[in-house]
Amino acid sequence: MHSPRCKGAMPRLRLAIAAATIFALVLLCWPHLTMFAAAGYSYAWWLRPEVHWAVPAQLDDDSLRPVVPKIMHQTWQTTKVPKKWQAARQSCLDLHPEYEHRLWTDADGLEFIEEHYPWFLPTYLSYPYNIQRVDVLRYFILHKLGGVYIDLDMGCRHNLDFMLLHNFTAPMTHPVGISNDVMAARPGDAYLGHLLPRLAHWNRWLGIKYIQVMFSTGPMFLTVQYSLFPGRRDVGIIPKPTYGKYDFSGDAYFYHLHGSSWHANDASFIFWMDRHKLALVLLGSLLAAGLAGAVCFKCVLQRGYRQLKSEE
C-alpha cells in the first residue's frame, strides 16, 4: 500500500517529467521552430504584400538613375554550356553587347567564397546538395560585384536595363514570393547584406530535398528574408507578366526553358500536392475529425467502465 503522500507525489513527478521532456524537445527543435515561424509569417505577409515594382517603363523616369553595374553573371558546372541552353544564353548576350559577361564554374565559385567570404566557407562546404551552393553563390557574387544574374535556362526577349534602376531586383513568382532565377543588385546591396548572414541558420535538414533546397537557399529563403527585411522600398519586384513564366498576359521580357535539373521525384510529389491541395485539406480535416471522434468515444467508454467498477 502506498501512503497518501506518495500517491500525491506521483502526479507531480509525472508532470515534472512531461514538462522537462517538452522543454528539451523545444530546445532541440528551436532552430526549426524559428524557421517555421518565419515561413508562416512570410506566407501571411504575402497575402497583402507591399510591393515596389520594377517595370521597363521606369527607364523613362528621369528621376531614376542606374545603380547596378552592367555585368551579366551566369553559372554552370564547367565552361561548357549544355547545347540545349546555348541559344537562350546567346539571346541575352546579343541584347546586351555593352555588358561584361561572366560564366562562373563550380571551381570558380569555391575560389570566390574562399577569397572574399571565408567566414561562410564551412557552411558552403556543408551543403548536402550542390544546387544549394549554386544558389548561394549567385547571392555572394551580386553582393560583392553587383550586376545582373540570369539562369542558363532563361532567354531574353528584350534589353534588361530596367533592372539596373533598383538596389535589388527579382521577379514575383507563383504561388507567392520572389524567385532567384533572374536578379540584379548593386555592390554591397543592403537586402543581400541582410540575408547572407542568415544562410547558416537556415542550413537545416528538412527531410525532403525539394523543401530543404527551397527553404535553405532557394526562392522560399529569398521570399522569407524579403518579407522580414525592413528596407523593402529599395527592392524592385518584376511583375508576373514581365517575368513571363506563369502569366502570359503581357509583354514578357524573358522566355523559360525546361531547367530545374536538380529536381527529383520529391518535387513531382510536391507539385502534385499543390494541384490537389483543396482535396488534401478536406481529406486531412475528415481524418482529424475521425481521430478526434475515436478519442472521445474511447474516453466515454473508459469513463463508463470506471463508473461500473466503482458501483460494484
Side-chain angles (χ1 to χ4, degrees):
M1 294 289 292
H2 295 288
S3 67
R5 179 177 297 179
C6 290
K7 289 183 177 180
M10 290 300 293
R12 290 195 295 271
L13 179 60
R14 287 196 293 267
L15 182 62
I17 293 174
T21 302
I22 293 173
F23 177 77
L25 288 174
V26 169
L27 194 63
L28 184 65
C29 300
W30 182 252
H32 290 79
L33 292 175
T34 57
M35 289 174 58
F36 295 148
Y41 168 80
S42 178
Y43 269 97
W45 185 88
W46 275 96
L47 294 176
R48 299 184 65 182
E50 302 171 5
V51 171
H52 301 277
W53 298 110
V55 294
Q58 290 171 339
L59 286 171
D60 299 326
D61 188 344
D62 294 333
S63 65
L64 296 176
R65 292 288 184 269
V67 294
V68 175
K70 291 186 175 182
I71 312 173
M72 184 166 288
H73 304 279
Q74 295 181 293
T75 62
W76 185 240
Q77 299 167 4
T78 66
T79 57
K80 187 174 179 60
V81 176
K83 186 175 181 180
K84 60 181 178 180
W85 295 332
Q86 290 176 4
R89 180 170 189 254
Q90 192 62 45
S91 70
C92 294
L93 300 182
D94 292 343
L95 285 168
H96 305 87
E98 73 280 16
Y99 281 49
E100 175 188 349
H101 299 275
R102 296 201 60 176
L103 178 65
W104 297 78
T105 66
D106 288 352
D108 294 332
L110 177 59
E111 183 179 344
F112 179 83
I113 296 297
E114 288 176 333
E115 179 179 356
H116 298 290
Y117 299 92
W119 57 267
F120 187 72
L121 187 61
T123 302
Y124 188 78
L125 296 176
S126 71
Y127 285 125
Y129 307 113
N130 191 56
I131 182 59
Q132 293 174 290
R133 283 181 283 275
V134 172
D135 276 339
V136 300
L137 178 60
R138 65 191 70 176
Y139 306 146
F140 283 100
I141 288 173
L142 291 180
H143 182 259
K144 180 65 177 179
L145 303 176
V148 177
Y149 170 84
I150 184 167
D151 273 356
L152 285 173
D153 61 349
M154 291 179 63
C156 300
R157 297 186 185 278
H158 303 284
N159 181 279
L160 304 180
D161 281 356
F162 77 97
M163 294 181 65
L164 308 181
L165 303 177
H166 299 269
N167 290 346
F168 182 87
T169 302
M172 180 174 282
T173 190
H174 175 83
V176 296
I178 55 180
S179 185
N180 67 351
D181 52 3
V182 57
M183 301 176 291
R186 68 185 303 172
D189 170 61
Y191 168 60
L192 289 174
H194 162 84
L195 68 84
L196 294 183
R198 290 164 171 79
L199 283 164
H201 177 75
W202 286 71
N203 182 23
R204 307 290 174 182
W205 179 80
L206 297 176
I208 299 175
K209 177 183 177 181
Y210 179 82
I211 294 177
Q212 183 165 334
V213 171
M214 291 290 284
F215 278 90
S216 65
T217 61
M220 283 312 303
F221 172 77
L222 208 65
T223 296
V224 171
Q225 299 309 316
Y226 173 78
S227 66
L228 298 173
F229 180 56
R232 288 186 294 270
R233 183 173 295 275
D234 295 326
V235 177
I237 304 300
I238 301 173
K240 288 182 179 181
T242 306
Y243 182 39
K245 190 171 185 177
Y246 304 103
D247 186 331
F248 309 103
S249 62
D251 183 15
Y253 270 56
F254 310 92
Y255 64 89
H256 304 260
L257 305 177
H258 177 70
S260 303
S261 55
W262 60 274
H263 284 187
N265 292 333
D266 57 349
S268 301
F269 177 66
I270 297 294
F271 295 149
W272 177 86
M273 290 179 64
D274 180 63
R275 291 193 300 270
H276 301 88
K277 52 182 173 290
L278 291 179
L280 292 173
V281 169
L282 178 60
L283 179 61
S285 300
L286 292 174
L287 290 174
L291 180 61
V295 171
C296 291
F297 182 69
K298 181 179 179 181
C299 290
V300 170
L301 288 179
Q302 288 178 340
R303 183 176 300 175
Y305 176 76
R306 286 196 296 268
Q307 288 177 350
L308 288 174
K309 293 289 288 184
S310 64
E311 292 173 359
E312 291 180 357

